[in-house]
Amino acid sequence: MLKPIEMCLKLFQSKLSRYIVTWVFTSIVVIEIAILIPSYFRRQDELLSNLENVSNEVFSSLVYRIQQGANSQEILDLTSRKLKPGSVILGGAIYQTNGQLVGTFGEKPSILYNYLSEPKMIRVQVQNGTRYDVAWTASMLAEKYVLIIRHNSVAVKEELFAFSLRIAGLIFIISVFVTLTTTLTLGVTVIRPILQLRDDLIIAGEAITNDSNDPIFSTMSKKRQDEMGEVILAFYQMFARVRQEIYERQQVEICLRHEQEKSEQLLLNILPAEIAQQLKQQQSAIANRFDEVTILFADIVNFTELAAQISPIELVNSLNQIFSCFDRLAQTYGLEKIKTIGDAYMVVGGLPNPHPDHAVAVAKMALDMQQEITKFKTATGENFQIRIGMNTGSVVAGVIGLKKFSYDLWGDAVNLASRMESHGIPGKIQVSEVTYLLIKDEFQLEERGIIKVKGRGELTTYFLIA
């Protein structure tokens, strides 16, 4: 007994359950009232008819005496003698057909002669249902008199009140029983599965949000063959589909992220990080002026003759090994590789982020490049040699064009650095006088003297020794 009650109490905690219970209970009460109201009035008619039957028996002999020619006074005396203590008949009034009052006896009724406009029996319940007046028309009394009788209907009122209580109690019991039965039935078949489905939805949402393993759904513990079972199955299929879609999307996102990282890395291999960021934000040309940077050009000596002696693959592999080594040196000293042109290598210090020791860093890399190149051998077993030139000055750096972006430098300082390399000596690092003045306190240098530089005339240059 306690289990159904506990189940009902749990079900009533649900808003849906309370909504259903309210409507079911209200609907049943309204239906029961609509059905039982006629019973109330039938019972009332039945009780009032019993009162009329009493007066009919009491005054049945009156019709005979009227037919025998009794006068008005005799009729009045006869009706008066019919009153007895404790009787339901409390009094009455007698009228002639012309409306003249013959007389009254006992308690005077409330119906007057002028109310009797129709030739039928008139019934009126008055004084809060405690009195019941009945008018016998002239057609019932040999067309000579009209008799109005007052009955005591207190017992009728009390009986109707008791009857109403019984009806109300019956309505309440039926409503409660049907409501509980309906609630239990709906609770087991609909509401409880809905509440379980709600909890499963919450669990499913948490599993999706936290990307955890598939939870155990309580609604799937029991197979149902009805519409609710179809809803639960549809929910489970939807969850599985969502998980699959999320998994596939995550895989796509991972692939996209990897590809984006590759693209980012590729872009960073082509352009400095700051320039790459600017290029992603704007499509116009990017150009910046730097007042003081140090440019280095390096060229492999006699590489053209070497290229004719080895296969293209060997040639590319050799260049790749040498320039990869130079790239690592540039990264070590915080320098920016600009480009390679054939067997020439170009690097700069002091951009895109200016720093005061750019000339010193480039000089250190130049010395290391001389050391690293000796580790590589030609096809004939000889060591490679490089020619290096350095110069310091102002440049314009940027990216131009729409395709195949490259970060490049322009300016007279770039041209002079190139001349320092091309007018240099194999195995030597030739620097301009501007660069010499910046690094002379940090390095050992020797004056080469005055040389004639194409497009610049005679210039004093220096060799970086150590």
Side-chain angles (χ1 to χ4, degrees), residues 44 73 138 155 167 204 226 264 329 365 375-376 385 389 425 451:
Q44 183 184 42
Q73 187 61 42
I167 289 177
D226 53 10
E264 291 283 345
L329 290 175
M365 178 175 174
K375 300 177 182 179
F376 298 94
Q385 280 190 318
I425 299 174
I451 64 172

Side-chain angles (χ1 to χ4, degrees), residues 107-162:
E107 189 176 321
K108 185 178 179 180
S110 60
I111 299 178
L112 300 177
Y113 181 84
N114 52 6
Y115 294 162
L116 309 176
S117 58
E118 297 182 2
K120 63 180 182 180
M121 183 175 288
I122 304 299
R123 299 177 176 87
V124 177
Q125 197 169 10
V126 295
Q127 296 183 7
N128 299 324
T130 59
R131 297 295 184 266
Y132 178 59
D133 297 345
V134 178
W136 289 24
T137 60
S139 60
M140 301 173 65
L141 296 173
E143 299 295 340
K144 293 182 177 181
Y145 299 99
V146 172
L147 175 62
I148 302 175
I149 306 171
R150 165 152 287 200
H151 301 80
N152 183 359
S153 60
V154 173
V156 173
K157 181 179 179 181
E158 294 174 350
E159 174 60 25
L160 286 176
F161 179 74

Side-chain angles (χ1 to χ4, degrees), residues 267-279:
L267 189 61
L268 292 177
N269 286 337
I270 299 173
L271 304 172
E274 295 81 358
I275 303 303
Q277 188 64 29
Q278 292 182 39
L279 187 64

Side-chain angles (χ1 to χ4, degrees), residues 274-320:
E274 295 81 358
I275 303 303
Q277 188 64 29
Q278 292 182 39
L279 187 64
K280 287 190 289 185
Q281 295 175 356
Q282 63 185 68
Q283 295 297 323
S284 58
I286 298 174
N288 296 286
R289 182 176 183 83
F290 297 89
D291 293 331
E292 188 177 272
V293 299
T294 299
I295 307 105
L296 178 150
F297 279 94
D299 188 73
I300 300 176
V301 179
N302 297 325
F303 193 79
T304 303
E305 292 80 358
L306 176 64
Q309 300 173 12
I310 61 177
S311 66
I313 294 179
E314 292 176 325
L315 176 67
V316 172
N317 285 338
S318 297
L319 278 177
N320 181 59

